[in-house]
Amino acid sequence: MLVAAAVCPQTPLIVTGLPELRAACRTAVAALRAARPDVLVVVGGAETTRSYDGAAAGTLRPWGFDVTVGEGAPVLPLSLTVGRRLLNDPEPPSGPPPATGAEGVPAQVLARDAGGVPAQAVAFAAAPAECRAIGAGLAALGRVALLVMADGSACLTPRAPGRYDEAAQPYDDLIAEAVGTADAAALAALDPVEADRLWVTGRAALQVLAGAAEGTPLTGTLLMRSSPYGVGYFAAVWS
């Protein structure tokens, strides 16, 4: 059963820049840990679908950041590497104090270190039904929390990585509304063809979340939304 979820951007810039968005992601991660899940899983898009155990390593060196998670040869895709890094973010959250557990212990220390957190990659091109099935399988593991790494459209402005498209903003609005209200049905209905055209790399991961949350009464909060480089970034919590 899915007991909590967080949606954060997969951009490597979240590691060293974008301080307000990074702080919102820390708040989202704290909420996941405050839910005291039996299992915490990082979910993100990749070229192929596969699972990784908690010992798998990843690096951001190809993107110009001397940041590595785990030990051994780096095998994690970008999205899962950034997610694992967020789980071990050394800086305290800004704003109000983090949520605490029943014994008053800060939520950040209620979960095991991110080095033991398994990860699930889902192919960018995976069909919606396949994504939802992966999510349902994760939700069946027990009391599960998901850290979902997902960007919106990369076609929001003329200087965006993708070619500017006036349809990108409405599509991003739809995603923001869905992650902000825990609307699993809306995420499940995302059109993969349109998502591909608008460079929505987070579509498959969001539909894994939809599959995990199906039939679960969660509420959502959109902590922050931004698009500083013409790419849609979201930080949201479902609980």
Side-chain angles (χ1 to χ4, degrees), residues 6-8 29 32 40-43 83 86-87 145-149:
V7 176
C8 292
V29 168
L32 288 185
L40 173 59
V41 182
V42 184
V43 176
L86 281 177
L87 289 173
L146 299 182
L147 173 56
V148 180
M149 309 303 295

Side-chain angles (χ1 to χ4, degrees), residues 36 100-106 110:
R36 303 181 72 109
T100 58
E103 295 80 20
V105 179
L110 293 176

Side-chain angles (χ1 to χ4, degrees), residues 85-142:
R85 182 62 182 79
L86 281 177
L87 289 173
N88 270 343
D89 195 332
E91 297 183 21
S94 60
T100 58
E103 295 80 20
V105 179
Q108 289 94 324
V109 303
L110 293 176
R112 56 186 172 176
D113 181 83
V117 174
Q120 176 66 54
V122 56
F124 294 123
E130 178 185 353
C131 297
R132 296 196 303 272
I134 292 171
L138 293 175
L141 295 175

Side-chain angles (χ1 to χ4, degrees), residues 75-87:
V75 295
L76 294 176
L78 172 64
S79 61
L80 300 183
T81 301
V82 174
R84 285 268 301 276
R85 182 62 182 79
L86 281 177
L87 289 173

